């Protein structure tokens, strides 16, 4: 089991690197193609929208394919997309490459989360999911800063070629280490779709869109915010991204630990704290020390919501969770796309590089409100709105017929 989770984390590391490394390279890419920074922000929006579309599409296409095989095919698509991005002659081609790579993202994490949860006891599901997502968060501590440094010193195209090589390593790791977990018998596509009739599944996905959108409202434009507003040098963006990544790692692990014990209180704390930090970041961004602290806290509080929200979807979609799990990953990126787009609008409107922080605070506050609604529904009608959990494993030996 640990080796299987390691393989999934390796794939997540590559995907996390390509998703987030563009933040630190956005000014370089914009200058190379002769476009504005808000226009270059479409590379973030396009990737996120590709995840939204690709998550259900690739999951449905893979319904008849063994899960390990599907994970390998998704990593292959990821590699192709990053090679196209690296070799793009014009901005439009790079945008296409980003979208191609993004098509693998949602289905990989959605299917990977289901596989990770099935490898452990029911009471350890959130922890297993957080271990897989650790690859994504560690990417922000190691992969993204190194990719940013490499892009600033050797050119951003080199970064995307290295990311493609990471995808090849991830593909090999999945082939070697992930067991071929069989699908549940009798589960069909209509069973997967039926999970979306549960209002708690829809509320969890809405919280995902708004909560993580709050993170991306600020982080999409972290490079110009830190250099033009806080006064950091361009070279400082690398270690600021390390701070963000360290926050993500810590928040992910804490969120996974407490989601198996007190899931909703964990969500209330993380979403409320995120809204507050983002609101304060508007003023704090003008000072180097407070800006650095805010970057760390945004990563920590934002990713503390990931394991509990993913587990909540799996719990309420029990029996046919694959499509719902993948769509929830798409929901994260729908929030990313929405926030990047709204952040670009307020910047282009002349409100400055700190204005996206107010957008993020509003999105996180709306997610907190939905969490309160979800908890209230669960208290009022527990028979309709309580999660369905798997029965405890029977450790007794199975009798053998003679």
């Amino acid at each position: 089991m640990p080796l299987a989770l390691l393989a999934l984390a390796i794939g997540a590391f590559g995907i996390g690197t390509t998703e987030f490394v563009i933040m630190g390279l956005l000014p370089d890419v914009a200058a190379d193609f002769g476009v504005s920074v808000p226009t270059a922000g479409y590379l973030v929006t396009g990737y996120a929208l590709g995840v939204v579309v690709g998550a259900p599409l690739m999951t449905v296409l893979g319904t008849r394919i063994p899960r390990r095989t599907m994970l390998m095919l998704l990593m292959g698509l990821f590699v192709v997309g990053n090679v196209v991005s690296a070799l793009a002659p014009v901005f439009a081609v790079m945008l296409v490459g980003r979208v191609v790579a993004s098509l693998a993202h949602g289905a990989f994490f959605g299917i990977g989360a289901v596989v990770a949860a099935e490898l452990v006891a029911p009471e350890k599901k959130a922890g297993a999911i957080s271990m897989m997502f650790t690859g994504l968060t560690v990417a922000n501590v190691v992969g993204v800063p190194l990719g940013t440094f490499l892009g600033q010193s050797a050119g951003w195209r080199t970064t995307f070629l290295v990311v493609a090589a990471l995808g090849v390593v991830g593909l090999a790791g999945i082939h070697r280490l992930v067991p071929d977990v069989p699908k549940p018998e009798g589960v069909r596509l209509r069973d997967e779709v039926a999970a979306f009739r549960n209002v708690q599944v829809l509320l969890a996905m809405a919280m995902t869109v708004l909560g993580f959108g709050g993170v991306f409202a600020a982080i999409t434009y972290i490079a110009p915010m830190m250099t033009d507003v806080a006064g950091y040098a361009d070279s400082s963006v690398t270690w600021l991204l390390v701070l963000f990544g360290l926050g993500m790692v810590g928040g992910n692990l804490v969120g996974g630990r407490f989601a198996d014990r007190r899931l909703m209180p964990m969500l209330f704390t993380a979403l409320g704290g995120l809204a507050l930090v983002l609101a304060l970041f508007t003023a704090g961004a003008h000072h180097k020390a407070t800006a650095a602290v805010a970057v760390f806290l945004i990563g920590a509080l934002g990713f503390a919501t990931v394991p509990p929200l993913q587990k909540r979807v799996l719990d309420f979609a029990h029996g046919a969770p694959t499509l719902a799990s993948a769509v929830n990953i798409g929901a994260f990126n729908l929030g990313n796309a929405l926030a990047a787009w709204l952040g670009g609008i307020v910047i282009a409107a002349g409100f400055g590089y700190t204005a996206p922080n107010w957008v993020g605070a509003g999105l996180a506050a709306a997610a907190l409100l939905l969490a309160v609604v979800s908890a209230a529904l669960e208290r009022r009608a527990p028979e309709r709105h309580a999660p369905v959990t798997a029965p405890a494993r029977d450790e007794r030996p199975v009798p053998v017929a003679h």
Side-chain angles (χ1 to χ4, degrees):
M1 182 272 293
L3 290 178
L5 292 179
L6 174 62
L8 293 172
I10 291 171
F13 179 86
I15 292 175
T17 300
T18 203
E19 180 182 16
F20 293 107
V21 76
I22 191 65
M23 312 304 180
L25 299 177
L26 211 57
D28 300 277
V29 174
D32 194 21
F33 286 122
V35 299
S36 67
V37 170
T39 298
Y42 286 128
L43 295 172
V44 178
T45 304
Y47 185 96
L49 291 176
V51 177
V52 174
V53 174
L57 176 63
M58 301 305 294
T59 302
V60 169
L61 291 176
T63 52
R64 297 185 180 276
I65 301 175
R67 286 172 177 164
R68 183 180 64 178
T69 303
M70 189 61 191
L71 289 171
M72 292 170 61
L73 290 173
L74 291 169
M75 288 307 300
L77 186 63
F78 168 81
V79 170
V80 171
N82 280 284
V83 170
V84 171
S85 295
L87 303 180
V90 294
F91 179 77
V93 175
M94 184 181 185
L95 183 58
V96 170
R98 291 282 292 171
V99 172
V100 169
S102 71
L103 293 176
H105 183 125
F108 180 88
F109 280 107
I111 296 171
V114 173
V115 171
E118 289 179 351
L119 292 172
V120 297
E123 68 275 10
K124 297 181 179 179
K125 285 186 177 183
I129 293 170
S130 72
M131 287 303 296
M132 182 193 71
F133 277 98
T134 296
L136 176 64
T137 57
V138 170
N140 285 270
V141 179
V142 180
V144 172
L146 288 179
T148 302
F149 174 77
L150 181 63
Q152 291 174 344
S153 58
W156 60 266
R157 296 179 187 274
T158 304
T159 296
F160 284 96
L161 287 174
V162 172
V163 169
L166 283 174
V168 174
V169 174
L171 192 156
I174 292 167
H175 173 70
R176 179 69 180 85
L177 300 175
V178 174
D180 196 4
V181 179
K183 293 185 177 182
E185 293 293 334
V187 176
R188 301 180 181 179
L189 180 58
R190 66 169 176 264
D191 300 314
E192 299 277 358
V193 174
F196 296 95
R197 299 173 188 168
N198 190 313
V199 67
Q200 291 287 15
V201 170
L202 298 179
L203 281 172
M205 291 180 177
M207 284 184 265
T208 296
V209 171
L210 297 171
F212 214 65
V215 174
F216 258 68
I219 296 303
T220 296
Y221 303 99
I222 185 174
M225 195 186 308
M226 293 298 96
T227 55
D228 291 11
V229 179
Y232 282 106
D234 290 344
S235 57
S236 299
V237 173
T238 298
W239 71 260
L240 287 167
L241 288 173
V242 171
L243 269 182
F244 177 67
L246 287 171
M248 291 172 67
V249 172
N252 176 62
L253 294 175
V254 171
R257 181 179 181 85
F258 282 94
D260 280 322
R261 300 178 181 180
R262 298 178 60 81
L263 191 149
M264 293 309 292
M266 181 72 248
L267 273 181
F268 294 151
T269 301
L271 290 172
L274 180 61
L276 178 62
V277 169
L278 284 166
L280 295 176
F281 192 27
T282 305
H286 292 273
H287 306 280
K288 290 184 177 181
T290 54
V293 172
V295 167
F296 174 84
L297 290 176
I298 290 170
L301 294 167
F303 252 78
T305 68
V306 174
L309 284 172
Q310 195 70 15
K311 182 178 184 294
R312 195 157 176 85
V313 169
L314 291 179
D315 285 345
F316 283 103
H318 177 67
T322 307
L323 182 59
S325 177
V327 171
N328 194 51
I329 299 298
F332 280 104
N333 287 270
L334 178 59
N336 299 353
L338 174 66
W341 175 63
L342 291 175
I345 286 178
V346 295
I347 291 174
F351 291 103
Y353 284 124
T354 62
N357 296 328
W358 280 116
V359 174
L363 292 173
L368 176 61
L369 178 61
L370 290 183
V372 173
V373 171
S374 177
L377 288 175
E378 196 170 340
R379 286 194 300 269
R380 289 179 183 177
E383 70 281 358
R384 292 180 55 196
H385 298 286
V388 180
T389 55
R393 293 182 177 180
D394 192 346
E395 302 296 338
R396 293 173 296 176
V398 178
V400 180
H402 296 283

